Amino acid sequence: MSLVYKQIIVAVDGSKESEWAFKKAVAIAKRNDAHLNLVNIIDTRSYAAVEAYDRSIAERAQKFAEELLNEYKAKAEGAGLHHVKVLVEYGSPKSMISKDLSRKLDADLIICGATGLNAVERFLIGSVSENIVRTAKCDVLVIRTPEDDTIQ
């Protein structure tokens, strides 16, 4: 059994929590000389009803995701990583990350932020990070945002 990570997935969505997850992922990828896969899942459920009214919503979501991931990719490469890949996917973040993408990328570590949904959504459907922990076939690191959430 290897104690070195080779394929790391970090899920980012633009939140403070995912920025912390990204920073930890870069540090771990550097220590392990690993491939870093920056992933944003556009949750189709969150805009399906609105899209019937506004067709450009999917295009804006795609543009936001690409800009976010490319910005993170530049930061990761600036930190010295040589193997950085960006992926924008559509679907449910809960199942896409832990099942589809982890298998497709042969991931041995998934890193994500601890929060994202509000308390009512977490109660009703559970958090994405909780679902990833329960269903992933590889190690999962859930990053908590410190009380003083100023990113250095």
Side-chain angles (χ1 to χ4, degrees):
M1 180 163 101
S2 174
L3 297 176
V4 175
Y5 295 113
K6 289 293 172 202
Q7 289 287 345
I8 299 171
I9 292 175
V10 61
V12 294
D13 62 8
S15 67
K16 185 74 83 174
E17 289 78 13
S18 75
E19 188 166 350
W20 278 102
F22 166 75
K23 288 187 175 289
K24 291 268 187 168
V26 168
I28 293 168
K30 279 179 74 169
R31 285 196 305 266
N32 288 269
D33 192 28
H35 290 247
L36 183 61
N37 299 282
L38 303 168
V39 175
N40 179 273
I41 308 296
I42 298 171
D43 192 341
T44 48
R45 298 165 307 166
S46 65
Y47 68 83
V50 180
E51 190 175 6
Y53 173 73
D54 182 357
R55 294 258 177 242
S56 68
I57 215 107
E59 292 165 15
R60 289 198 308 266
Q62 177 81 27
K63 186 175 189 298
F64 170 81
E66 288 171 357
E67 287 173 359
L68 176 71
L69 293 177
N70 286 328
E71 183 181 313
Y72 277 139
K73 180 178 182 180
K75 287 180 182 178
E77 289 172 343
L81 293 182
H82 303 291
H83 308 286
V84 183
K85 184 175 180 180
V86 299
L87 291 108
V88 177
E89 298 281 344
Y90 286 81
S92 165
K94 284 182 172 191
S95 61
M96 293 282 304
I97 294 167
S98 63
K99 295 178 183 141
D100 304 335
L101 286 176
S102 64
R103 198 173 309 119
K104 176 178 163 182
L105 298 169
D106 198 25
D108 45 21
L109 178 63
I110 299 171
I111 301 175
C112 59
T115 59
L117 296 174
N118 67 42
V120 174
E121 288 171 316
R122 274 196 303 275
F123 175 74
L124 294 174
I125 59 176
S127 73
V128 171
S129 56
E130 175 190 344
N131 196 70
I132 291 171
V133 168
R134 269 199 328 269
T135 60
K137 301 285 189 248
C138 63
D139 291 351
V140 178
L141 178 59
V142 179
I143 306 300
R144 298 219 173 269
T145 305
E147 291 296 322
D148 170 20
D149 67 354
T150 308
I151 295 180
Q152 305 294 327

